[in-house]
Amino acid sequence: MGHDITLTADDGFQLGGYRADPAGPTTASVVVIQEIFGVNHHIRAVCDRFAAQGYRAVAPAIFDRIERNFQSGYSPEEVAAARKFIAAPDWDATLRDVQAAIDSVKDEGPVGVIGFCFGGTVAYLAATRLNGLSAAVGYYGGAIVKFADEFPKVPTQLHFGEKDSGIPLTDVETIKAKRPEVDVHVYLEAQHGFGCDERASFDKQSSDRAWQRSLDFFATYLK
C-alpha cells in the first residue's frame, strides 16, 4: 500500500521513511514513530492500517542519523543490538526528524502523531515541543516520566501495560498526577510491546482496545 520516501529536516539532514496513502481522498494524516527496531515490517503495517482507516501515514526513519535503513526483528539478540540506538538519545535531532515528517503533510490537513516504545516517548515530546500537530498518542514510552513536567500543547493519550517490566506502575501514577489532562490507559496483564503482533508479548485483547481508543481519539481531534 505504501512506498519509501525521503524527508529533509530543518538542519538539511535527509532521512528515509515510509508513506501509505488511503485509496480515496482524505483530510488528515498520522505520523508513526518507530520502536527501537526501525521502520520495519510492523511499523509499515501500522502505516498501512492507518491508510485503510482513511489517513495518510508517514513513518520517519529516525535512526538514520546513526545507521541508515536500520531494520530489525525481535529475537533477544536483535533486541540487544537495537538498544544501542537509545543508549544516549539525541532528543533534539530526533524531534527535528519528526518535525520533517509533520511538515511533509501539514499543508494537507490536521496531523496526529503516534509512537511505540521509544517512539512513545518521542510522540509525547512531539506533543510538548513541536508545531503543526493536533493530537498525540503514545504506547509504552519508558522515558515519558522523565518529561512529565512538560505540558502537551495538543490533546494526548497514553497506553501502558500493567506487567511492563521496564515501566513500573509508579511511573504511570507519576505521569497521571503531573499530567491530569492526559488520557492515560493501563491494560491489565499486558506487557511491554503488547501492541505489536510480531512480538512474543503481543496481547490481542489489549492491543485491540488500545487501537480502537487511538482511532477514536484521532477521529475526535483530527478534523
Side-chain angles (χ1 to χ4, degrees):
M1 184 179 294
H3 59 278
D4 292 336
I5 59 172
T6 299
L7 301 165
T8 303
D10 63 8
D11 62 354
F13 180 78
Q14 290 191 318
L15 63 147
Y18 180 79
R19 173 167 170 160
D21 290 278
T26 183
T27 58
S29 304
V30 177
V31 173
V32 179
I33 310 300
Q34 65 189 54
E35 300 174 295
I36 63 174
F37 309 105
V39 182
N40 63 3
H41 179 268
H42 168 63
I43 294 300
R44 292 167 186 259
V46 171
C47 290
D48 292 345
R49 289 179 73 187
F50 273 115
Q53 293 291 327
Y55 294 98
R56 297 178 205 88
V58 177
I62 57 173
F63 289 165
D64 270 9
R65 291 179 186 263
I66 305 170
E67 180 181 328
R68 288 195 177 275
N69 303 316
F70 174 78
Q71 296 183 47
S72 171
Y74 306 97
S75 70
E77 295 78 15
E78 289 172 307
V79 171
R83 288 189 184 280
K84 68 183 180 183
F85 293 100
I86 58 169
D90 185 338
W91 298 110
D92 290 339
T94 299
L95 290 173
R96 282 197 293 271
D97 295 343
V98 175
Q99 187 69 62
I102 296 168
D103 292 346
S104 74
V105 291
K106 69 179 182 180
D107 292 337
E108 303 175 77
V111 183
V113 64
I114 187 169
F116 304 86
C117 182
F118 177 71
T121 300
V122 175
Y124 183 80
L125 287 175
T128 67
R129 301 184 187 183
L130 298 186
N131 299 313
L133 288 173
S134 296
V137 176
Y139 281 61
Y140 30 82
I144 292 175
V145 69
K146 298 178 182 178
F147 302 104
D149 288 325
E150 297 191 29
F151 182 79
K153 298 189 288 185
V154 298
T156 299
Q157 182 180 79
L158 300 176
H159 304 278
F160 297 98
E162 180 194 29
K163 301 298 185 181
D164 191 324
S165 61
I167 307 176
L169 289 180
T170 51
D171 284 3
V172 179
E173 291 305 316
T174 296
I175 294 166
K176 286 181 177 181
K178 291 188 173 184
R179 297 269 65 90
E181 72 282 356
V182 172
D183 182 29
V184 178
H185 299 275
V186 177
Y187 299 85
L188 299 182
E189 301 300 321
Q191 302 176 52
H192 191 80
F194 70 80
C196 175
D197 61 3
E198 298 183 24
R199 300 180 69 169
S201 56
F202 176 62
D203 181 322
K204 186 178 189 307
Q205 181 177 8
S206 298
S207 179
D208 288 348
R209 291 181 66 197
W211 177 253
Q212 189 58 55
R213 282 170 169 158
S214 301
L215 289 179
D216 292 345
F217 196 73
F218 284 144
T220 298
Y221 295 107
L222 301 187
K223 59 183 181 180

